[in-house]
Structures are given as structure tokens and as C-alpha cells.
Amino acid sequence: MEPSARIYVAGHRGLAGSALARRLAAEGYRNLVTRTHGELDLTDQAAVRAFFAREKPAYVFIAAAKVGGILANNDYPAEFIQSNLAVQTNVIHEAWRNGAKRLLFLGSSCIYPRDCPQPIKEDYLLSGPLEFTNRPYALAKIAGVEMCASYNRQYGTRYVAAMPTNLYGPGDNYDLAASHVLPALIRKMHEAKVRESDRVVIWGTGKPRREFLHSDDMADACVALIKLPDDKFDEVLRGPNGFPLINIGCGEDQTIAELARTVASVVGFRGALEFDTAKPDGTPRKLLDVGRLRRLGWSPRIDLSTGIAAAYKDFLAHDGGTKKKDAISEAKT
Ligand SMILES: NC(=O)c1ccc[n+]([C@@H]2O[C@H](COP(=O)([O-])OP(=O)(O)OC[C@H]3O[C@@H](n4cnc5c(N)ncnc54)[C@H](OP(=O)(O)O)[C@@H]3O)[C@@H](O)[C@H]2O)c1
């Protein structure tokens, strides 16, 4: 990818998209194209068509998506499937119409069957029933993977679908009603420390195992992928069962209790951790098999404690996580 390449990061203000934009800017890519949701609604086909015709990006990262926790997925299933199908259909199709050289579509590990063996290999896609609560989201993302596969097959494009594990990092969502477990723990521990509370209650038994990757590591992996030489990139595209699919993770997990202890130590909360076992645990383990990524020579750089410390600093610097920031407003065209 030449330094002057025109690169479009869709969703550049989100957790994943802002990390991608930061990474590309740090590597000296200055020809980034970005639009906020307010400036360009990616569900609007005509607007996306006009945008691509004008900007003609050579490389496209799709980090725009309607994303949410169990509650939001459960309450708004129609919006989750409609919005995600529309965003990815419009972007992938217009990228093709305008001759984008490479495209990276971001999905998530929820595309894999609910009860699949661990660690989760790319081969397990479509091998069993999905988790019901986020099935509309997962099916939209699976359709996105199939779109990449089908465009590659019919039109000879080079579109890859990357599936990251749980992410955390700058610009995360710390709203307890919508946040994922790690940012929720950061907020709860911080508030307990400020209130001088002697305990924090955590949902479930603390026994489920989860994997976490810093968003900057995710971005590093995605940029490394899109920059692969043709032969290596094409190898990725010839993924399992014909899917151009690759998992992105660190390959290690820990229990929620271990995670909570790490967060407590970073935040400086010294009270007790109480587990509310009446609340559901969810799936016992969710760990991605990252063998394909490792064989390309990539491995993460940010260990969990260091990453959580950086996330906590960012949380404190942005009104306790109530604000999202435009990480690359200076790079906007
Ligand atoms: N967060 C994780 O742990 C995680 C893990 C694995 C994979 N991923 C994947 O990474 C991708 C991005 O997730 P994220 O966590 O970065 O989400 P996020 O922080 O909510 O960012 C998504 C971005 O997309 C934008 N967007 C949504 N709908 C749009 C539309 N119709 N038009 C234009 N922009 C739109 C949002 O703008 P507004 O906020 O203004 O709506 C937001 O900036 C998703 O595909 C997700 O599956 C995330």
C-alpha cells in the first residue's frame, strides 16, 4: 500500500475505526478519507454511491456498524439486521464499482456457532446454531463475509473479512447500559473507588473465560493484513471453506474474576469483589484460534495490564468515558 494511497476508514470515530485511523496516520498514510455518521449515513445507498464516485478510495476498511450489547441486540433486532446489512452492502458494492484494490470488512466472533469447540477456528463458520440474542447481528455479519467471498469469486476482487475478539481501548463505550464487560468493570471500579465503597458487584460467577485485545493491536493486525504482498494476501483470501476469513485475537483468555482483579489493581480499587451468581454467565468460554494470523508472523504487543492502564487513563481524560472523540479529525479530507 503506497504512502499516498487513498484509504477510506468507514466508522473512523468508533472504537475499532479510530484505532485503524490512528494506526494508518502513525504509519505515514496521510491520504485518509473519513466521514462522520452525520456527514454520510452509510445506509443511504444514493449517498454512498455519490461518495465513492467522488472519492474513489483504493483501500477500504469497514469499521462502521450498528454495534451493541445483549440488551440493545435483544430490544432492536430489526434495526441490527437492517442497518448492518445496508451499511456493508452499500460499501462493498460501491467499493467494487469504483475499483477499490483491497477491502477489509470487520465482523466479530459472534458469527460463530454458540456451542462450537474452543478455541474457535475459522472453519467453524456455519457449522451450528447461533446465539439467539445477537442472531440478527451475526447473520448480517455472516452475509458480509459471504459478500466478500462472492465478489472475490465473481469479480476477482481482494476483499478480506477479519473477525476480532473482544476489543477495548481509547474511545470505548463506558455507558453501563450498553458497554461490554471490560469497560463496564473500569467504570464500576472507578466509581466504587471515588465513592469509597467497600465492594463491587459483578454479574455471574466470574468463571467464564474471555479473550481481550487492545484496539491498537487489532488495528496493527488489520493494517499488516491489508499490506501483505499479493501471494500472502491471496492465501488469506483462500480461507477455510472458501471464506476469505481470518480471526484476530491474542490467543489467550482469562476468567472474568481474573480480569476483575486486574482492573481493580489498575484502577486502585481495594474493596471486595462480589459475584452475583443469580445473574447469567453466558457461554463458558470464548477464545479465537489465531493460528492463521500467527502463521503470517503477527502477534500482539500490548499486554492486558498495560492496555487496561492506558484505557483507564483515556477514560479519566474524557469525562469518565462519556465523550467519544474524533481521533483523526486532523486527517479528515
Ligand atoms: N468492540 C468490540 O469489542 C468489537 C469486537 C470485535 C469486532 N468488532 C467489530 O468492529 C466493528 C466496529 O465496532 P466498534 O466496537 O468500533 O463500534 P463503535 O465504537 O460503535 O463504532 C461504530 C462506528 O460506526 C458508525 N456507524 C454506525 N452506523 C453508521 C451508519 N449508518 N453510517 C455511518 N456510520 C455509522 C458509528 O457512528 P455513530 O456512533 O455516530 O452511530 C461509529 O462511529 C464492528 O463490525 C464490530 O463487530 C468490535
Side-chain angles (χ1 to χ4, degrees):
M1 195 160 67
E2 56 286 13
S4 62
R6 202 153 177 72
I7 305 168
Y8 172 44
V9 180
H12 74 289
R13 295 218 285 192
L15 174 64
S18 61
L20 283 165
R22 271 196 308 277
R23 179 77 207 171
L24 289 162
E27 288 198 21
Y29 293 102
R30 291 286 163 207
N31 205 356
L32 302 191
V33 184
T34 58
R35 292 291 184 278
T36 64
H37 191 161
E39 291 164 341
L40 175 64
D41 179 356
L42 294 168
T43 64
D44 179 340
Q45 187 185 25
V48 177
R49 178 158 290 190
F51 166 75
F52 268 85
R54 189 169 54 245
E55 300 293 346
K56 295 205 178 297
Y59 297 86
V60 175
F61 291 87
I62 309 182
K66 184 170 177 60
V67 177
I70 294 181
L71 221 65
N73 272 276
N74 204 43
D75 290 350
Y76 307 106
E79 286 178 38
F80 271 82
I81 191 160
Q82 187 275 337
S83 178
N84 285 300
L85 281 174
V87 166
Q88 67 205 32
T89 300
N90 290 339
V91 176
I92 292 173
H93 191 64
E94 293 308 320
W96 165 68
R97 275 172 41 89
N98 290 280
K101 289 182 190 165
R102 291 186 183 185
L103 175 148
L104 185 145
F105 169 68
L106 276 180
S108 84
S109 58
C110 68
I111 63 162
Y112 294 112
R114 187 191 52 217
D115 299 320
C116 65
Q118 304 290 319
I120 306 171
K121 290 182 191 299
E122 289 89 347
D123 314 50
Y124 301 159
L125 186 67
L126 298 180
S127 64
L130 299 163
E131 160 64 32
F132 176 75
T133 45
N134 57 15
R135 195 175 66 192
Y137 182 78
L139 279 172
K141 289 291 178 186
I142 293 170
V145 177
E146 181 57 59
M147 275 190 83
C148 291
S150 296
Y151 278 60
N152 291 348
R153 195 148 61 92
Q154 185 174 342
Y155 301 132
T157 50
R158 285 192 163 113
Y159 298 168
V160 67
M163 300 299 132
T165 187
N166 300 303
L167 301 175
Y168 69 99
D172 211 341
N173 185 351
Y174 292 94
D175 170 2
L176 288 181
S179 56
H180 295 121
V181 58
L182 207 162
L185 285 174
I186 290 178
R187 173 174 283 284
K188 277 186 175 183
M189 305 272 183
H190 170 75
E191 289 180 351
K193 183 179 83 168
V194 171
R195 280 198 316 268
E196 296 182 5
S197 247
D198 60 356
R199 66 194 54 235
V200 158
V201 179
I202 297 162
W203 274 36
T205 62
K207 289 182 184 153
R209 301 188 70 84
R210 294 289 183 274
E211 178 188 13
F212 297 92
L213 187 70
H214 194 281
S215 56
D216 286 341
D217 269 337
M218 179 277 318
D220 186 41
C222 289
V223 172
L225 268 175
I226 210 131
K227 284 167 57 179
L228 282 174
D230 283 349
D231 56 334
K232 292 269 180 219
F233 196 69
D234 290 348
E235 221 173 273
V236 177
L237 298 185
R238 285 189 299 272
N241 305 316
F243 289 114
L245 185 60
I246 186 158
N247 289 339
I248 300 197
C250 62
E252 285 169 20
D253 58 358
Q254 59 267 291
T255 67
I256 296 297
E258 286 164 343
L259 175 72
R261 282 196 287 274
T262 308
V263 173
S265 133
V266 167
V267 170
F269 170 69
R270 314 227 180 279
L273 304 180
E274 207 171 80
F275 292 92
D276 180 357
T277 54
K279 294 287 192 305
D281 262 349
T283 175
R285 192 173 192 206
K286 221 169 165 192
L287 176 66
L288 291 179
D289 183 309
V290 288
R292 294 198 83 208
L293 187 63
R294 285 283 165 96
R295 285 191 289 281
L296 291 167
W298 187 87
S299 53
R301 296 181 209 184
I302 305 170
D303 71 74
L304 195 58
S305 308
T306 312
I308 293 174
Y312 183 48
K313 211 168 144 198
D314 181 72
F315 168 87
L316 293 175
H318 292 89
D319 288 354
T322 52
K323 270 193 204 158
K324 288 216 167 192
K325 60 184 173 177
D326 188 342
I328 56 146
S329 48
E330 74 278 8
K332 192 169 174 303
T333 57

